[in-house]
Amino acid sequence: MKTSRRDFIKISTIAALALLGAKSYDLVVSRRLSESLLLEEAPVAGVKFVKTFGGMCGALCGIQVGVDGNGRPRVVFPIKEHPQKGLCGRCASAPWLWDNPLRLKKPMVRVGERGEGKFREVDWDTALNSIASKLKEIVDKYGYKAIAITHHDAWTYYMSLFSYLFGTSNVISHVGMCHAAGTVARGHVFSAGGPPSIDPDYENASFLLLVSRTLSTASMGAVHRAMTNERLEIVVVDPRMPEVGFANVKWIPIIPGTDAAFALSIIYVLLEEGLYNADFLKKYSNAPFLIKPDGKPLTEADIVEGGDARKYIVFDAKDKKLKDHREAVDPDLWYVGEATLKDGTKIEVKTALTLLKERASKYKPEEAERITGIKAGDIRWVARKLALKNGVVHDTWYISRNGNDYDDVRALLIINALLGNIDKPGGLCFQESARFPSVITVKTVEGKRVAETVYGATMPEELFGDVTQPRVDRAKYKLTPAQFDAVLDAILEEKPYPVKALFVIGTSPLMRDMNTRKVIEAYKKLELLVVIDILPTDDAGYADYVLPDTIFLERDEMTSTKWTLHAVVQKQSKVVDPPEGFDVRDALWIMFEIARRAFPERAKALGWDDKYANYKAYEEEFLHKLDDSIISRLAATWKIDKEKLEKALEEEGYYVLKRKEYYVRPYKTALGTPSGKVEIYSLAALGAGLDPLPDYIPPPAYTLPRAPNEFYLVNGKGPLTSVHASLMEPMKFVGDRSVWMNPRDAERLGIRDGDMIELESIDMGLKAMARVKVTEGVREGVLFTYSTMWGRISKLLPEGHFAMEGINPNLFAKGYVIPIVGGGASNSSVRVRKL
Amino acid sequence: MRLAFVWDSRRCIGCMACVIACASANHPELLREAKPNPQWNWLGGNIRVVVRDVGGRPVLRLVSCQHCDNPPCVHACPTGASYIDERTGFVRLDPSKCVGCKACVVACPYGARWLHPVTMLPEKCPGPFCSEIKKAVCAEVCPAGARLVGDLDDPESPVNEVLRKYKTERMLEHLGTEPKWFIITG
């Protein structure tokens, strides 16, 4: 047998790599060079594909993972028929996560000062017992409410279970730094929830306006539907060009923090030029409601003795009478006139739409151009396109940026209402609910409340602990879906009560939350900080205990499919076991085991038997019972055969429970808003002490840049954004750790592409260094950098790790929270100096 | 058979799935050690990302072997190691004939070849994993439906369908390389 040059090289390489202690270089060995590409499809010898869903971010796209003969994940493909098929750079790098040298392998206890990064590996029993003992001490002194848990996407389903397990209401997610303001706005206008409870119907849309939203972050299913829709025209409005701008997309740069002025200007053009859907507004919105001079709606209670305050009055153009909106034949959208109150007083009333137009008139395109930097002609063009092409405006997602974002989203949602393109093909649609069973629900049995888990365990009211106490964030921001900044306040100021123990599960407040310095101060004041994660985040460096979690490839899980309008359930199948030497555990097991040791009666009530301390028993019995209960519940809810559902989840990875049914809300089913209609004039906002109409206010979250060397520092997400994925090796090359600067700014300041600059926060005085990328992808006067990726400070990372380069924009964000709404703000302003 | 690649620049959102998947599938031995492909100072994969400001905004191009019908790398190769595979029309490398002279690397006007830092072989598309599974990983993973591979000699092939339907261009066509790598531009 002849030895070819390549064979020789292979042999030498293998020997060299073996010397280097490398683990798997089978690829070099197994090359079959005699075969050519694409003659016919054939599975590669030994590579098996397992259908699952991606866990590199919260989108959970339908993927299949190819595992080679050595049991190593090698490649990730989409599941082609999946309703949310696709993957981006994050899931493409999942094969590196499995045996990544950075992965947390064993429980660790801190031995140095907080943040010093000195830890000692311990066994699970030692770690769990110590944590349990400290927790008991804290609870004895301060109550269960002194425990807080924060998380992002991993293990989200179980968070309400953890709340009962630890007797605390303080389970507070990342949402305050993501979509909180948008979610409150969605609730106020459409009584919808977080994204994507409403979402554009990408595959049928003809014109899509994305304001401060990039499709290239998460939801690759949405990307597929949008990009393969040949009729779809997309316009992006953003201070920087998001990656979706690489496609055939019109990008309009906007001055940061002025989205509301842009949206209100669009509203003005639609109303002024008669480009609104009058029929929709009359029947399905509160546009014709008459509003009193005090801003409150005129109701039957105002005009008739003993009248009903829930009967909102409109002017019926048919018989020229004031009447209940449900009885009017032709509600006048533009009525302005007198109404006589029950005591005989006459007041002037105007329709909600009239008030909206008065508000929007402050932002005629020429005025909006001055505020937003977008040409008046472009504003009119977008407005007319939206109307003439029956367009749709995206309801936004990551929006916690400038402190005025609630009004941005409300105004954008109102544009959709004016177009009347709601729950129709190609419009802004309500997602069909998968009616996925909650892991825990509270019932009343014989006058007493009982918490019941999906798998049938019950906890009596006596064991609720502080679950019913007000959450620290809602005590401060009553409408917020979540605002972690209030947890920091509770740690630092002990108001409304002290928080002393914090669990950080699969997330990184140091990267995620604004004002990094405040997070560090709070961490230092805690009595117990436990980080459960897969990689050494910055937060792990400050923890008392670091507990290694499993990765999504190593576990079974079920969930509803997130980014589709259909009701779909999907299954994550275990692709691989943890690599040898990785003593990792599911966070679910970890939390139960801490509770079993600290509060045995709580764990027991929630169905945790002592035998589950054995991890194998947990995997084989507890998880089996849990999965079986969820499937049984889904099968019963949807009246489908359980075996059929199980088989589909096993073989296909997903099951479509119900396809999207259009023209339901608000047409056949009333909305959950106070009026039951789409509210262009938000009665819920009014009730909460907020302006019922959106308005533009200059960004309150930071001092506006003024001097020639001062800039807005804006941040955003991209297809690689993830606290975890950004530590994978491919990101060393593909990840952009620079700060973007417009070429005209660069020329003015004598800065060239690749130069190092110093950024100094105008509000905080902090300084950091970064490399500049000179690009037309950001508008003049603005700097851009990716969020939650770079500028790492963890001492658990190897010295000089590439993720330490670049900046964490939250370092400069001073920590502004929108009152009542509770949305945070991650943008800031900085001075620039060339180094 | 003359296999060709089509990349739809109108659909590509620069998500990097193809770039990372190509590297991860074809050259994981480089990434685990975080060794760069020295030619491009880039990850060890066959797709290079080029972004340039054109007309006031950044424009993206993904560059890999263009599988030219008139390939300069093949003409430059002194040993016949670089050749056109008649069964597929792809430009390939026979490592048993490669003497490591790097003439192909220099000759390629697209800069599509890169030297493997361990084997020193001039790597290019298609990589070994793609060859083995007989699928182009980049086309398989693309979430935007922006990538396609098919036979130019087959009139029914989806590639010919899109070439008939859309405006396309080929990179550095004026050099007469006859690349079989089409970019849909409109």
Side-chain angles (χ1 to χ4, degrees), chain A residues 512-725:
Chain A
R512 179 191 83 184
D513 287 80
M514 55 198 171
N515 196 350
T516 311
R517 205 162 49 177
K518 183 175 177 184
V519 181
I520 292 172
E521 278 170 33
Y523 278 180
K524 286 186 173 168
K525 208 184 163 201
L526 279 167
E527 289 188 17
L528 177 67
L529 174 59
V530 180
V531 167
I532 303 174
D533 214 317
I534 57 176
L535 289 163
T537 56
D538 287 355
D539 307 74
Y542 283 86
D544 299 311
Y545 298 90
V546 180
L547 305 177
D549 196 0
T550 51
I551 63 170
F552 76 99
L553 297 171
E554 295 161 352
R555 58 180 186 247
D556 290 316
E557 210 171 334
M558 264 182 293
T559 182
S560 54
T561 305
K562 203 167 173 182
W563 296 95
T564 171
L565 293 176
H566 312 304
V568 183
V569 60
Q570 60 185 20
K571 184 170 190 292
Q572 187 171 78
S573 292
K574 188 175 190 171
V575 176
V576 280
D577 283 318
E580 212 180 316
F582 284 62
D583 191 10
V584 299
R585 300 278 196 272
D586 286 356
L588 177 61
W589 181 88
I590 295 169
M591 293 299 270
F592 261 120
E593 273 300 294
I594 293 170
R596 185 178 71 87
R597 293 154 203 254
F599 321 114
E601 69 289 356
R602 311 189 67 81
K604 197 170 178 189
L606 293 176
W608 191 255
D609 193 286
D610 288 352
K611 68 181 172 187
Y612 299 142
N614 178 319
Y615 199 69
K616 212 165 180 55
Y618 153 78
E619 284 188 303
E620 288 173 1
E621 293 180 40
F622 182 80
L623 288 184
H624 176 76
K625 187 167 68 177
L626 182 70
D627 283 356
D628 192 63
S629 310
I630 292 172
I631 290 187
S632 300
R633 200 69 78 85
L634 279 168
T637 304
W638 290 95
K639 296 184 176 55
I640 44 178
D641 182 63
K642 187 184 161 197
E643 275 78 42
K644 185 180 156 194
L645 178 58
E646 256 174 336
K647 191 164 176 270
L649 289 172
E650 210 57 53
E651 291 176 4
E652 311 302 331
Y654 70 97
Y655 186 85
V656 179
L657 299 160
K658 188 186 178 205
R659 299 200 72 78
K660 170 65 191 162
E661 186 185 344
Y662 297 102
Y663 299 102
V664 175
R665 282 178 279 179
Y667 312 98
K668 295 176 194 161
T669 307
L671 301 185
T673 53
S675 65
K677 295 188 165 187
V678 174
E679 295 202 349
I680 63 154
Y681 187 94
S682 174
L683 302 180
L686 187 70
L690 294 163
D691 190 336
L693 289 170
D695 203 353
Y696 162 72
I697 48 162
Y702 46 87
T703 303
L704 295 183
R706 304 237 179 258
N709 66 337
E710 292 179 351
F711 289 81
Y712 291 91
L713 175 62
V714 304
N715 72 95
K717 300 192 187 259
L720 306 175
T721 307
S722 150
V723 166
H724 299 110

Side-chain angles (χ1 to χ4, degrees), chain A residues 155-174:
Chain A
W155 303 105
T156 296
Y157 179 63
Y158 301 97
M159 289 299 155
S160 52
L161 183 69
F162 296 162
S163 174
Y164 284 85
L165 193 55
F166 289 89
T168 177
S169 58
N170 289 317
V171 177
I172 296 171
S173 74
H174 68 291

Side-chain angles (χ1 to χ4, degrees), chain A residues 133-146:
Chain A
S133 155
K134 186 69 194 172
L135 263 188
K136 266 198 291 191
E137 202 183 291
I138 290 169
V139 167
D140 285 347
K141 203 165 166 192
Y142 303 101
Y144 290 106
K145 60 182 182 293

Side-chain angles (χ1 to χ4, degrees), chain A residues 58 63 76 87 103 149 240 250 264 362 400 449 499 513 708:
Chain A
I63 57 168
V76 181
L87 67 150
R103 249 190 96 176
I149 299 170
R240 58 110 186 194
K250 183 178 172 70
L264 282 158
K362 286 163 62 182
S400 300
R449 288 182 306 162
V499 165
D513 287 80

Side-chain angles (χ1 to χ4, degrees), chain A residues 4-6 9-10 13 16-17 20 22 24-25 27-28 30-45 47 49 72 74-78 80 85-90 92-93 95-101 215-217 220 223-225 227-230 241 243-251 719-720 729-734 743 773-778, chain B residues 1 3 5 8-21 23-37 41-44 49 51 53-60 83 85 87-88 90 92-93 95-100 116 118-121 123 125-137 139-145 149-150 165-166 185:
Chain A
S4 68
R5 172 185 145 81
R6 181 138 200 166
I9 291 166
K10 275 189 291 190
T13 308
L17 295 172
L20 288 168
S24 177
Y25 295 95
L27 187 76
V28 178
S30 70
R31 287 183 169 193
R32 280 197 260 148
L33 294 154
S34 57
E35 294 185 5
S36 303
L37 181 70
L38 296 160
L39 283 178
E40 60 192 48
E41 282 192 11
V44 65
V47 173
F49 282 88
R72 180 192 176 79
R74 279 276 294 275
V75 68
V76 181
F77 284 170
K80 291 219 164 144
K85 69 172 174 182
L87 67 150
C88 60
R90 278 173 291 236
S93 43
W96 273 262
L97 179 58
W98 178 63
D99 64 346
N100 197 292
L215 280 185
S216 43
T217 301
M220 287 301 129
V223 164
H224 181 80
R225 292 195 292 279
M227 291 301 150
T228 54
N229 174 356
E230 292 277 319
M241 189 190 89
E243 296 79 1
V244 70
F246 285 132
N248 187 22
V249 165
K250 183 178 172 70
W251 167 50
L720 306 175
E729 284 89 337
M731 305 306 168
K732 179 177 178 182
F733 305 103
V734 178
K773 178 158 103 178
V774 176
T775 170
E776 294 276 8
V778 65
Chain B
M1 183 183 277
L3 290 174
F5 280 83
D8 193 338
S9 71
R10 305 165 313 148
R11 289 182 179 181
C12 179
I13 57 153
C15 79
M16 299 294 128
C18 61
V19 175
I20 296 171
S24 68
N26 291 307
H27 294 288
E29 76 280 4
L30 295 183
L31 279 164
R32 175 48 78 230
E33 298 297 313
K35 278 191 183 169
N37 142 9
N41 191 25
W42 184 244
L43 77 172
V49 176
V51 179
D53 285 341
V54 180
R57 63 188 281 181
V59 172
L60 170 77
Y83 67 102
D85 181 344
R87 292 181 303 165
T88 59
F90 274 167
R92 301 190 68 94
L93 177 81
S96 67
K97 293 182 182 166
C98 180
V99 294
H116 192 289
V118 180
T119 66
M120 296 307 286
L121 284 166
E123 296 288 348
C125 162
F129 188 84
C130 295
S131 299
E132 202 160 347
I133 66 166
K134 297 184 172 62
K135 282 181 180 177
V137 165
E140 287 295 313
V141 301
C142 180
V149 184
K165 196 168 169 188
Y166 302 109
T185 55

Side-chain angles (χ1 to χ4, degrees), chain A residues 365-401:
Chain A
E366 284 68 24
E367 175 60 13
E369 176 177 331
R370 195 188 58 76
I371 299 168
T372 65
I374 298 178
K375 287 194 165 55
D378 279 349
I379 295 171
R380 288 199 174 88
W381 177 84
V382 172
R384 288 166 189 162
K385 272 275 184 182
L386 276 167
L388 300 175
K389 290 196 84 174
N390 205 19
V392 57
V393 186
H394 198 287
D395 59 296
T396 77
W397 171 63
Y398 171 59
I399 196 74
S400 300
R401 290 188 174 126

